[in-house]
Amino acid sequence: MATLEESFPRGGTRKIHKSEKAFQQSVEQDNLFDISTEEESTKRKKSQKGPAKTKKLKIEKRESSKSIREKFEILSVESLCEGMRILGCVKEVNELELVISLPNGLRGFVQVTEICDAYTKKLNEQVAQEEPLKDLLHLPELFSPGMLVRCVVSSVGITERGKRSVKLSLNPKNVNRVLSAEALKPGMLLTGTVSSLEDHGYLMDIGVDGTRAFLPLPKAQEYIRQKNKGAKLKVGQYLNCVIEEVKGNGGVVSLSVGHAEVSTAIATEQQNWTLNNLLPGLVVKAQVQKVTPHGLMVNFLTFFTGLVDFMHLDPKKAGTYFSNQAVRACILCVHPRTRVVRLSLRPIFLQPGRPLTRLSCQHLGAVLDDVPVQGFFNKAGATFRLKDGILAYARLSHLSDSKNSFKPESFKPGNTHKCRIIDYSQMDELALLSLRTSIIEAQYLRYHDIKPGAVVKGTVLTIKPYGMLVKVGQQIRGLVPAVHLADIPIKNPEKKYHIGDEVKCRVLLCDPEAKKLMMTLKKTLVESKLPAITCYADAKPGLQTHGFIVRVKDYGCIVKFYNDVQGLVPKHELSAEYIPDPERVFYTGQVVKVVVLNCEPSKERMLLSFKLLSDPELRKEPAGLSQKKGRVINVGQLVDVKVLEKTKDGLEVTVLPSNIPAFLPTPHLSDHVANGPLLYHWLQAGDTLHHVLCLSRSEGHVLLCRKPALVSTVEGGQDPKNFSEIHPGMLLIGFVKSIKDYGVFIQFPSGLSGLAPKAIMSDKFVTSTSDHFVEGQTVVAKVTNVDEEKQRMLLSLRLSDCALGDLATASLLLLSQCLEELQGVRSLMRNQDSVLIQTLAEMTAGMVLDLVVQEVLEDGSVLFSGGPVPGLVLRASKYHRAGQEVESGQKKKVVILNVDMLKLEVLVSLHQDLVNRKAKKLKKDSEHQAIVQHLEESFAVASLVETGHLAAFSLTSHLNDTFRFDSEKLHVGQGVSLTLKTTEPGVTGLLLAVEGPAAKRTMRQTRKDSETVDEDEELDPALAIGTVKKHTLSIGDMVTGTVKSIKPTHVVVTLEDGVIGCIHASHILDDVPEGTSPTAKLKVGKTVTARVIGGRDMKTYKFLPISHPRFLRTIPELSVRPSELEDGHTALNSHSVSPVEKIKQYQAGQTVTCFLKKYNVVKKWLEVEIAPDIRGRIPLLLTSLSFKVLKHPDKKFQIGQALRATVVGPDSSKAFLCLSLIGPHKLEKGEVAMGRVAKVMPNEGLTVSFPFGKIGSVSIFHVSDSYSETTLEDFVPQKVVRCYVLSTAEEVLTLSLRSSRTNPETKSKIEDPEINSIQDIKKGQLLRGYVRSVQPHGVLLGLGPSVVGLAQYPHVSQYSPSKKALYNKYLPEGKLLTAKVLSVNHQKNLVGLSFLPSDTGKPDVLSPSMELPLSKQEGRKMEAEERDQKGEEKNQKRKEKKNQKGQAEARLPGKEKTQGKRGLRTPASEQERVNKKAKKASLWEEDDSGMELYYREGEEDMEEMNVLPKEKPTKPAEAPRLQLPSGFAWNVGLDSLTPALPPRGESSDSEEDEKPHQATQKKKSKKERDLEKQKAEKELSRVEEALMDPRRQPESADDFDRLVLSSPNSSILWLQYMAFHLQATEIEKARAVAERALKTISFREEQEKLNVWVALLNLENMYGSQESLSKVFERAVQYNEPLKVYLHLADIYTKSEKLQEAGELYNRMLKRFRQEKAVWIKYGAFLLRRSQAGASHHVLQRALECLPSKEHVDVITKFAQLEFQLGDAERAKAIFENTLSTYPKRTDVWSVYIDMTIKHGSQKEVRDIFERVIHLSLAPKRMKFFFKRYLDYEKQHGTEKDVQAVKAKALEYVEAKSSVLEE
């Protein structure tokens, strides 16, 4: 089909410039039909009189033939526009789109979602439920090629390849949008789609708003029967309908789809069609108005004129049309802008509802010579006359190969051209041509042209995993599947083929309808000269051809040919010899030559044979296994092989592609001895191995090797091929061929071999050669001797001779290779079908699993279940049990150490430090201590002591390094030093490391059987000396010896004959005083007499009975206890009893003496010994009740010290006694015990753990005697706490941490009493509690662990916020509040609370700064009444009235409603607290005015001006105070103005009322009167002192009067005085004070006066009217500097959010103070704060126009600063850059720029600016300043390297300067 491109310039006279062309084109397009249509149709509409007609004819006469031709310019893509309605014909129907043929050879596409809304909805439903809907038809079922459809152009876009693409819509809502319900008339022909099926018919979607269209069932029956094959209509079905009846002004219409009604429907004038709503597809009666060579102009529906181009004349009547001839025409399209109507006179369009019948032309693809041009249309294309007289058309883009080669003059009528028919336009019934050379010469034009079996050329487009896409023609692409890319399977096709390569393929299959093309690149198939089978009929018996195997089965091979033809080669026809297992010999994709045995085309069955009967040579041997090919493989060659089967010693394989049988022994699968069997186990028949080396070949027997070391040697060409190339000293890589007693034979890849004699086989002594090497092992050998004649050589395998560089590097390389091979094994396991094996393949070391203990085995190991898949064996060895007591069914967290891929077992560990790895960043090449956790044959897995990460390290550092003496072997649990080589675990889950020197290894002692493995105990080396000495001692013997060494818990003694004996601390004294160390009693060298009481085995560390045969080799255990030395004392033969039995003899609660062996920091316990074979543990928490001891146990307890301990019970391991130093460990009610915090739960409390797994919980109410919101912040997990057990009823203990419980003797103050039940609460009580939640009816407050009170909303706050959400915000869960108990209902367990300040005396729970309305007056009256009832004094009521009065005053009409309430006095201590806080608060809130306050009084006054922090509510309710822009805060509470007198002196009216003086009642004695007088004098002097105190705060009007008298010029005092009145909402008094101040302050103190004026402005702004504010402002301007007053008022307006007034004031200022830069800058900042960046930029421009040029730089800089702070940082940078480019030497601007960038930019930007500055040519002094700044910046933000770099640059600058001076 034609590709759609831009049109070309008209006429061909001159080449038009691009821009000119674009302009001209648009003009031409707009004016294309303006005279004939737009003017004409509108004129006709205006008047249908004759004169207009005659005028039109005159105009026409004047027109040249060119303009006539322009009028009839046929449609092109450019002339289509969005919203254009057009008639089209369905050309192709695909699953998701329709291809529509449009008039004049155009083409468009309709997406599946553009059919109708109902259909789209169904599609969405289908997608949502992911299965097909039954009643949803696919597009091919709804539409068929040839159907005429009304479309609307939805968009004209450009595709990826630069072609134009027209998107259309069939949706009736878009097509019929131009119709309204009122415009619908009976007889109108519309198109619509079925939107739903109803009982009596169908609801139709005709797309008209407000109209329901219904198609009754009887009216649809005929259509269903004739056109729909009797099937019901379905949603989305497209129909032509005629309106039968219109009801309700178009609200309901009835339709008909009958053939008779539709085909005869004609648009009439009565239907009132207009140019706006005329629809394509309507048939009209028309009259020919004018006949031209290019078409007709016709008149229709009386008023309208339209065009019929030459393509749409009736072919039979062409040339016979005349003026005024009556014709019938069909509307093709209506242009929405120019209103051009195009019509067609073709008969096929005059019967609506009839599909087009001719859908193609028979000569499609034919190349035609000398076709004459009929006509040329410079915007659309040209028409040609074919030989049979039929017209054909070529689009403009198809007239030449490129735009540049296009010559319009060669398309004059009569000129001939060579062209090709490329498509057919159904709408025009025209063949479409192309004159492009590429298309004419193209081998294939359409998919239909390509036949299976054809050889085609194409270019590679892309290479994907599934195959390669190849471009065969202009619109044709084909796929070469991955298996068809070459004769043999290739792994990396991208290496062979590249995008853009030209390739030669053969077509396997072509399906033109689906546009599917499959091809092959198998060389044999492409170049085959044998006949191709493309259908079963081609397959004649005896025919030989090439095919390819698609499947290999046990019954034979299925071979495929072209066009999906396939046949079977039965098993007996596979070869002359019998092949038992075809899958071993053949593979999928293999190209084969076959002969047809027989074929049944009707059944599509074919039998084939590989026995090619006619070829005598091939008959002798099986196909594909010829001896010729056998010779191809040479020794040393690398080949790919396929595994056929496994034998005992290795793998039987076949070499690809020639299928030569070969053998690959198991040891030759890997360089690592252990990995060979693994790979052998997991490789399966059918697997392919790449890069396999041929080692030897003898009579049909090929031996292979896959060792990477040997393969890389061969690849690198480093293996000598014969003896002449070998010289002594050479290092060669080979493998052990055989092992003899005298040495080992080594073979090399080329087949040469040599002997390594026993003497130079190893650096270690060789007892047996087979201990050192195994057959097949890879080794490095050094040539020591060569005998070329005898073809012999001697080799050395010693490590000292064969070292390959650095040991660490070699070790890491071996480890990496080994782990890489294991990953290869994992990928083989993933291919298995078993889920178990696949899961095992995914499991890696380091993974943490949650498992369940299945059983504990006899050897101490544990089996687990509950893995990711059933049947998975998970095992922890005894060591990896980590000494934990485990039982079946217990849940445990474990970490994977290794996966045994042969036994299919996962080895896991319970060690806590491995399970809970620490997230610590590790550094490469850092050295770490590690513990060996698992040993493999070639590597070990260890865990880092610090972090618990698992690391792998190689056990060998060389291929030859395989032998270890027992003493050199590593053991699990042993300590090693590792150097990390990777810091992140890779796919293996392990870090890679290299082991440090063996000297750094630490030994783990062999265990007693009974002992748990996590005891890190080392054997005393002194005892190890006597291991071999035999002795003849027996138990009870008396011996004499010398003390050799003294250890904390035992003494080593040398007896006669050099035998070593041991005395335990418990066998030195009969009575051991607590705290002493018995071993200290003996001195080294002292002679002692002792009795033998037992014998300890060196290896097992166990005591053996005397009868034991090994008793002679034991270490005698001695005793020097006086009681045991006495004669007649029986020897302690009880040592033969196992320690476990002995431990059972100890009862809980029993007291024992034990000796401290060590403090285990990790496990946090003391390890002690009670007797030589009885050991115990004291958990740290059971050592003391003192925090000091627990913090530093090492200071309190010395090693070797005797301790008195109480037995708690045997430990979980059964081998230890568990002891306590603080008495029996009973967690019973009332006990105090030490525990550790296990978990902190915000707003709830703590979980505490105790020794032996007991857990307790502490409620937040029991954490402390004094509640606090941050009470839990002091607790972190593992913190030791002292607990009191409240209850043991539950499994989890209930605890208290209150010091009143844990330390009752301290009698600490209990601020918040315990409330454990509702009985603990009394009415009227003040309690504190934590907010639990905000409920719809009130706030729940937790008062105790199980007691909750409710404060209903009237009792929560005196404000009533409109949104309850505010309660959630201000009363979050966990907030601490004070409440008064209003009621207690014991029956219902209800507690009523109040948070009101009047009840609690605390500030309101809601912040007064929120300006919330107070709760209703009635509520307050009720409160007042309640208070009366409670017997409160009248005074309180008086205060209440005052408050109400104050409020009434505050509510001034038309102003901000701010309620004020007289502050309640707070105790002085609280005031002091508030004052202290106030002093800390910032004095300056926001200094916007740029002005300062000057204080004569100095700093003391500054301190007096206490500004309360905003977030601290000063009292229950208060009006927002005035704010001075210069930083004075008006919201100073009354509290801060109260004198700081001692509380006893404070007395209020109410107190006087309550306690009247007793003088009136009783006469006092003289003594009493004297006392009273003294008291009064003291009181007076105290008051005077208080008044003299400079820190005293004034508290009454009198106080202030006194102060202002002393300092009349201090504005601060006057302002505080005003604030004092304002707090009482006495605004008039505050005004009077201001006026007094203005009169009093000296005229010289301008700033002080200004401060008062500003305060007055503030007061009027907040409490006055606009009028009063204006008056004050005018006065202020007269008395002060006007600019300052203006700026202050602007600030006041801005802060009180009166932005409009502020804006107006700034405009006044700009007129009055246009020369003041401060005004411009303030206004700019004001605009930026309001996010009016554009206006701010405009202000800057105005400022620069108004201000003198010397000010410009400063103003620009200031604006840039403002941009940085408030606006766009990028714009700010641009302003600075601009300024600096003009004034590069303005260091002040540079400085500001640097400051701003440091604050708002990135480090890179800052450094860039510094770099620029230090390269400026400024004065040295200035340069020094910038270098210093740069250096300071780098010191703060950079590294040491950066600092050095700056210093170097500074030095460079100095040197450069000095050199210039010298010159």
Side-chain angles (χ1 to χ4, degrees), residues 1086-1113:
K1086 185 180 173 186
T1087 305
V1088 289
T1089 303
R1091 191 184 285 278
V1092 178
I1093 56 169
R1096 194 189 302 224
D1097 185 5
M1098 244 320 287
K1099 281 188 181 171
T1100 61
Y1101 204 63
K1102 274 202 237 170
F1103 284 93
L1104 301 179
I1106 193 163
S1107 56
H1108 197 285
R1110 272 218 311 276
F1111 187 79
L1112 300 177
R1113 289 193 180 274

mmCIF file of all heavy atoms in Angstrom, residues 1086-1113:
data_model
loop_
_atom_site.group_PDB
_atom_site.id
_atom_site.type_symbol
_atom_site.label_atom_id
_atom_site.label_comp_id
_atom_site.label_asym_id
_atom_site.label_seq_id
_atom_site.Cartn_x
_atom_site.Cartn_y
_atom_site.Cartn_z
ATOM 1 N N LYS A 1086 57.804 -25.295 96.092
ATOM 2 C CA LYS A 1086 57.531 -25.863 97.413
ATOM 3 C C LYS A 1086 57.281 -27.370 97.265
ATOM 4 O O LYS A 1086 56.683 -27.816 96.290
ATOM 5 C CB LYS A 1086 56.286 -25.168 97.992
ATOM 6 C CG LYS A 1086 55.953 -25.566 99.413
ATOM 7 C CD LYS A 1086 54.721 -24.822 99.888
ATOM 8 C CE LYS A 1086 54.307 -25.358 101.256
ATOM 9 N NZ LYS A 1086 53.038 -24.773 101.697
ATOM 10 N N THR A 1087 57.729 -28.110 98.220
ATOM 11 C CA THR A 1087 57.518 -29.571 98.189
ATOM 12 C C THR A 1087 56.209 -29.870 98.899
ATOM 13 O O THR A 1087 55.932 -29.323 99.979
ATOM 14 C CB THR A 1087 58.666 -30.300 98.875
ATOM 15 O OG1 THR A 1087 59.875 -29.882 98.250
ATOM 16 C CG2 THR A 1087 58.523 -31.802 98.752
ATOM 17 N N VAL A 1088 55.416 -30.707 98.286
ATOM 18 C CA VAL A 1088 54.126 -31.030 98.899
ATOM 19 C C VAL A 1088 53.950 -32.544 98.947
ATOM 20 O O VAL A 1088 54.495 -33.268 98.113
ATOM 21 C CB VAL A 1088 52.944 -30.418 98.101
ATOM 22 C CG1 VAL A 1088 52.896 -28.939 98.243
ATOM 23 C CG2 VAL A 1088 52.982 -30.831 96.646
ATOM 24 N N THR A 1089 53.179 -32.961 99.960
ATOM 25 C CA THR A 1089 52.825 -34.376 100.043
ATOM 26 C C THR A 1089 51.335 -34.439 99.733
ATOM 27 O O THR A 1089 50.550 -33.661 100.286
ATOM 28 C CB THR A 1089 53.086 -34.919 101.444
ATOM 29 O OG1 THR A 1089 54.470 -34.687 101.738
ATOM 30 C CG2 THR A 1089 52.774 -36.400 101.529
ATOM 31 N N ALA A 1090 50.985 -35.365 98.875
ATOM 32 C CA ALA A 1090 49.568 -35.396 98.443
ATOM 33 C C ALA A 1090 49.118 -36.823 98.287
ATOM 34 O O ALA A 1090 49.929 -37.768 98.273
ATOM 35 C CB ALA A 1090 49.428 -34.656 97.128
ATOM 36 N N ARG A 1091 47.800 -36.959 98.230
ATOM 37 C CA ARG A 1091 47.223 -38.281 98.012
ATOM 38 C C ARG A 1091 46.609 -38.316 96.623
ATOM 39 O O ARG A 1091 45.971 -37.350 96.188
ATOM 40 C CB ARG A 1091 46.144 -38.550 99.065
ATOM 41 C CG ARG A 1091 45.655 -39.997 99.087
ATOM 42 C CD ARG A 1091 44.519 -40.181 100.069
ATOM 43 N NE ARG A 1091 44.945 -40.201 101.449
ATOM 44 C CZ ARG A 1091 45.451 -41.273 102.084
ATOM 45 N NH1 ARG A 1091 45.594 -42.410 101.458
ATOM 46 N NH2 ARG A 1091 45.795 -41.222 103.351
ATOM 47 N N VAL A 1092 46.789 -39.444 95.924
ATOM 48 C CA VAL A 1092 46.202 -39.596 94.575
ATOM 49 C C VAL A 1092 44.715 -39.887 94.755
ATOM 50 O O VAL A 1092 44.339 -40.816 95.481
ATOM 51 C CB VAL A 1092 46.882 -40.744 93.796
ATOM 52 C CG1 VAL A 1092 46.228 -40.911 92.444
ATOM 53 C CG2 VAL A 1092 48.370 -40.462 93.657
ATOM 54 N N ILE A 1093 43.881 -39.051 94.146
ATOM 55 C CA ILE A 1093 42.443 -39.302 94.296
ATOM 56 C C ILE A 1093 41.780 -39.639 92.952
ATOM 57 O O ILE A 1093 40.580 -39.888 92.870
ATOM 58 C CB ILE A 1093 41.734 -38.082 94.938
ATOM 59 C CG1 ILE A 1093 42.001 -36.815 94.112
ATOM 60 C CG2 ILE A 1093 42.145 -37.893 96.374
ATOM 61 C CD1 ILE A 1093 41.148 -35.646 94.522
ATOM 62 N N GLY A 1094 42.544 -39.604 91.877
ATOM 63 C CA GLY A 1094 41.953 -39.965 90.577
ATOM 64 C C GLY A 1094 42.952 -39.780 89.468
ATOM 65 O O GLY A 1094 44.080 -39.353 89.698
ATOM 66 N N GLY A 1095 42.534 -40.111 88.268
ATOM 67 C CA GLY A 1095 43.402 -39.958 87.100
ATOM 68 C C GLY A 1095 42.612 -39.339 85.943
ATOM 69 O O GLY A 1095 41.516 -39.794 85.652
ATOM 70 N N ARG A 1096 43.203 -38.345 85.362
ATOM 71 C CA ARG A 1096 42.495 -37.624 84.295
ATOM 72 C C ARG A 1096 43.080 -38.002 82.945
ATOM 73 O O ARG A 1096 44.283 -37.904 82.731
ATOM 74 C CB ARG A 1096 42.655 -36.135 84.557
ATOM 75 C CG ARG A 1096 41.722 -35.262 83.759
ATOM 76 C CD ARG A 1096 42.107 -33.805 83.911
ATOM 77 N NE ARG A 1096 42.089 -33.355 85.295
ATOM 78 C CZ ARG A 1096 41.561 -32.203 85.675
ATOM 79 N NH1 ARG A 1096 40.987 -31.436 84.782
ATOM 80 N NH2 ARG A 1096 41.606 -31.813 86.918
ATOM 81 N N ASP A 1097 42.233 -38.408 81.977
ATOM 82 C CA ASP A 1097 42.712 -38.783 80.639
ATOM 83 C C ASP A 1097 43.070 -37.514 79.878
ATOM 84 O O ASP A 1097 42.315 -36.557 79.864
ATOM 85 C CB ASP A 1097 41.599 -39.543 79.905
ATOM 86 C CG ASP A 1097 42.078 -40.067 78.566
ATOM 87 O OD1 ASP A 1097 43.274 -39.917 78.285
ATOM 88 O OD2 ASP A 1097 41.259 -40.598 77.799
ATOM 89 N N MET A 1098 44.232 -37.551 79.225
ATOM 90 C CA MET A 1098 44.701 -36.343 78.539
ATOM 91 C C MET A 1098 43.794 -35.967 77.368
ATOM 92 O O MET A 1098 43.497 -34.816 77.135
ATOM 93 C CB MET A 1098 46.116 -36.589 77.996
ATOM 94 C CG MET A 1098 47.161 -35.712 78.606
ATOM 95 S SD MET A 1098 46.608 -34.038 78.837
ATOM 96 C CE MET A 1098 46.612 -33.435 77.182
ATOM 97 N N LYS A 1099 43.391 -36.992 76.609
ATOM 98 C CA LYS A 1099 42.649 -36.681 75.383
ATOM 99 C C LYS A 1099 41.228 -36.223 75.682
ATOM 100 O O LYS A 1099 40.763 -35.218 75.167
ATOM 101 C CB LYS A 1099 42.626 -37.905 74.464
ATOM 102 C CG LYS A 1099 43.912 -38.078 73.697
ATOM 103 C CD LYS A 1099 43.780 -39.179 72.666
ATOM 104 C CE LYS A 1099 45.110 -39.338 71.918
ATOM 105 N NZ LYS A 1099 45.117 -40.513 71.061
ATOM 106 N N THR A 1100 40.562 -37.005 76.522
ATOM 107 C CA THR A 1100 39.134 -36.697 76.706
ATOM 108 C C THR A 1100 38.903 -35.801 77.902
ATOM 109 O O THR A 1100 37.789 -35.324 78.105
ATOM 110 C CB THR A 1100 38.331 -37.988 76.909
ATOM 111 O OG1 THR A 1100 38.828 -38.606 78.087
ATOM 112 C CG2 THR A 1100 38.450 -38.900 75.733
ATOM 113 N N TYR A 1101 39.946 -35.579 78.705
ATOM 114 C CA TYR A 1101 39.856 -34.718 79.880
ATOM 115 C C TYR A 1101 38.919 -35.328 80.930
ATOM 116 O O TYR A 1101 38.416 -34.685 81.817
ATOM 117 C CB TYR A 1101 39.367 -33.325 79.437
ATOM 118 C CG TYR A 1101 39.762 -32.209 80.382
ATOM 119 C CD1 TYR A 1101 41.109 -31.913 80.592
ATOM 120 C CD2 TYR A 1101 38.810 -31.436 81.034
ATOM 121 C CE1 TYR A 1101 41.473 -30.881 81.431
ATOM 122 C CE2 TYR A 1101 39.169 -30.405 81.874
ATOM 123 C CZ TYR A 1101 40.515 -30.134 82.077
ATOM 124 O OH TYR A 1101 40.901 -29.117 82.914
ATOM 125 N N LYS A 1102 38.652 -36.650 80.800
ATOM 126 C CA LYS A 1102 37.731 -37.319 81.726
ATOM 127 C C LYS A 1102 38.539 -38.028 82.807
ATOM 128 O O LYS A 1102 39.674 -38.393 82.587
ATOM 129 C CB LYS A 1102 36.958 -38.406 80.957
ATOM 130 C CG LYS A 1102 35.738 -37.916 80.256
ATOM 131 C CD LYS A 1102 34.833 -39.119 80.026
ATOM 132 C CE LYS A 1102 34.490 -39.348 78.619
ATOM 133 N NZ LYS A 1102 33.835 -40.594 78.372
ATOM 134 N N PHE A 1103 37.875 -38.292 83.929
ATOM 135 C CA PHE A 1103 38.506 -39.103 84.981
ATOM 136 C C PHE A 1103 38.218 -40.563 84.690
ATOM 137 O O PHE A 1103 37.092 -40.935 84.375
ATOM 138 C CB PHE A 1103 37.945 -38.701 86.348
ATOM 139 C CG PHE A 1103 38.520 -37.405 86.803
ATOM 140 C CD1 PHE A 1103 37.876 -36.213 86.531
ATOM 141 C CD2 PHE A 1103 39.735 -37.365 87.465
ATOM 142 C CE1 PHE A 1103 38.426 -35.016 86.919
ATOM 143 C CE2 PHE A 1103 40.278 -36.161 87.865
ATOM 144 C CZ PHE A 1103 39.635 -34.984 87.597
ATOM 145 N N LEU A 1104 39.277 -41.364 84.767
ATOM 146 C CA LEU A 1104 39.109 -42.776 84.454
ATOM 147 C C LEU A 1104 39.166 -43.594 85.750
ATOM 148 O O LEU A 1104 39.916 -43.260 86.673
ATOM 149 C CB LEU A 1104 40.238 -43.254 83.528
ATOM 150 C CG LEU A 1104 40.350 -42.520 82.184
ATOM 151 C CD1 LEU A 1104 41.512 -43.099 81.402
ATOM 152 C CD2 LEU A 1104 39.068 -42.675 81.373
ATOM 153 N N PRO A 1105 38.392 -44.664 85.801
ATOM 154 C CA PRO A 1105 38.525 -45.549 86.982
ATOM 155 C C PRO A 1105 39.881 -46.254 86.907
ATOM 156 O O PRO A 1105 40.446 -46.390 85.822
ATOM 157 C CB PRO A 1105 37.357 -46.523 86.805
ATOM 158 C CG PRO A 1105 37.024 -46.474 85.352
ATOM 159 C CD PRO A 1105 37.378 -45.113 84.854
ATOM 160 N N ILE A 1106 40.364 -46.677 88.026
ATOM 161 C CA ILE A 1106 41.706 -47.292 88.081
ATOM 162 C C ILE A 1106 41.765 -48.554 87.221
ATOM 163 O O ILE A 1106 42.813 -48.935 86.725
ATOM 164 C CB ILE A 1106 42.098 -47.575 89.547
ATOM 165 C CG1 ILE A 1106 43.578 -47.893 89.619
ATOM 166 C CG2 ILE A 1106 41.236 -48.666 90.165
ATOM 167 C CD1 ILE A 1106 44.138 -47.776 91.003
ATOM 168 N N SER A 1107 40.598 -49.144 87.037
ATOM 169 C CA SER A 1107 40.581 -50.385 86.254
ATOM 170 C C SER A 1107 40.747 -50.118 84.765
ATOM 171 O O SER A 1107 40.951 -51.034 83.985
ATOM 172 C CB SER A 1107 39.247 -51.112 86.496
ATOM 173 O OG SER A 1107 38.186 -50.212 86.165
ATOM 174 N N HIS A 1108 40.659 -48.870 84.364
ATOM 175 C CA HIS A 1108 40.723 -48.564 82.937
ATOM 176 C C HIS A 1108 42.120 -48.845 82.414
ATOM 177 O O HIS A 1108 43.118 -48.482 83.055
ATOM 178 C CB HIS A 1108 40.368 -47.075 82.734
ATOM 179 C CG HIS A 1108 40.006 -46.756 81.312
ATOM 180 N ND1 HIS A 1108 40.962 -46.666 80.343
ATOM 181 C CD2 HIS A 1108 38.803 -46.519 80.718
ATOM 182 C CE1 HIS A 1108 40.367 -46.383 79.192
ATOM 183 N NE2 HIS A 1108 39.040 -46.288 79.396
ATOM 184 N N PRO A 1109 42.256 -49.507 81.231
ATOM 185 C CA PRO A 1109 43.607 -49.842 80.738
ATOM 186 C C PRO A 1109 44.474 -48.609 80.503
ATOM 187 O O PRO A 1109 45.688 -48.691 80.553
ATOM 188 C CB PRO A 1109 43.330 -50.585 79.424
ATOM 189 C CG PRO A 1109 41.905 -50.280 79.073
ATOM 190 C CD PRO A 1109 41.199 -50.020 80.367
ATOM 191 N N ARG A 1110 43.811 -47.451 80.207
ATOM 192 C CA ARG A 1110 44.626 -46.265 79.905
ATOM 193 C C ARG A 1110 44.954 -45.466 81.169
ATOM 194 O O ARG A 1110 45.498 -44.377 81.088
ATOM 195 C CB ARG A 1110 43.877 -45.349 78.916
ATOM 196 C CG ARG A 1110 44.122 -45.701 77.450
ATOM 197 C CD ARG A 1110 44.238 -44.465 76.543
ATOM 198 N NE ARG A 1110 43.167 -43.503 76.734
ATOM 199 C CZ ARG A 1110 41.975 -43.551 76.155
ATOM 200 N NH1 ARG A 1110 41.694 -44.571 75.353
ATOM 201 N NH2 ARG A 1110 41.073 -42.621 76.383
ATOM 202 N N PHE A 1111 44.582 -46.007 82.337
ATOM 203 C CA PHE A 1111 44.816 -45.268 83.582
ATOM 204 C C PHE A 1111 46.299 -44.939 83.767
ATOM 205 O O PHE A 1111 46.653 -43.934 84.349
ATOM 206 C CB PHE A 1111 44.273 -46.048 84.793
ATOM 207 C CG PHE A 1111 44.326 -45.260 86.070
ATOM 208 C CD1 PHE A 1111 43.349 -44.295 86.326
ATOM 209 C CD2 PHE A 1111 45.331 -45.454 87.013
ATOM 210 C CE1 PHE A 1111 43.403 -43.558 87.508
ATOM 211 C CE2 PHE A 1111 45.383 -44.717 88.175
ATOM 212 C CZ PHE A 1111 44.403 -43.754 88.429
ATOM 213 N N LEU A 1112 47.149 -45.816 83.223
ATOM 214 C CA LEU A 1112 48.594 -45.630 83.381
ATOM 215 C C LEU A 1112 49.070 -44.345 82.712
ATOM 216 O O LEU A 1112 50.098 -43.800 83.049
ATOM 217 C CB LEU A 1112 49.343 -46.825 82.764
ATOM 218 C CG LEU A 1112 49.004 -48.185 83.379
ATOM 219 C CD1 LEU A 1112 49.750 -49.263 82.642
ATOM 220 C CD2 LEU A 1112 49.405 -48.206 84.855
ATOM 221 N N ARG A 1113 48.295 -43.909 81.675
ATOM 222 C CA ARG A 1113 48.732 -42.703 80.946
ATOM 223 C C ARG A 1113 47.943 -41.460 81.376
ATOM 224 O O ARG A 1113 47.923 -40.472 80.664
ATOM 225 C CB ARG A 1113 48.558 -42.906 79.430
ATOM 226 C CG ARG A 1113 49.548 -43.898 78.867
ATOM 227 C CD ARG A 1113 49.545 -43.823 77.347
ATOM 228 N NE ARG A 1113 50.493 -44.754 76.762
ATOM 229 C CZ ARG A 1113 51.788 -44.483 76.566
ATOM 230 N NH1 ARG A 1113 52.293 -43.316 76.933
ATOM 231 N NH2 ARG A 1113 52.580 -45.365 76.007
#
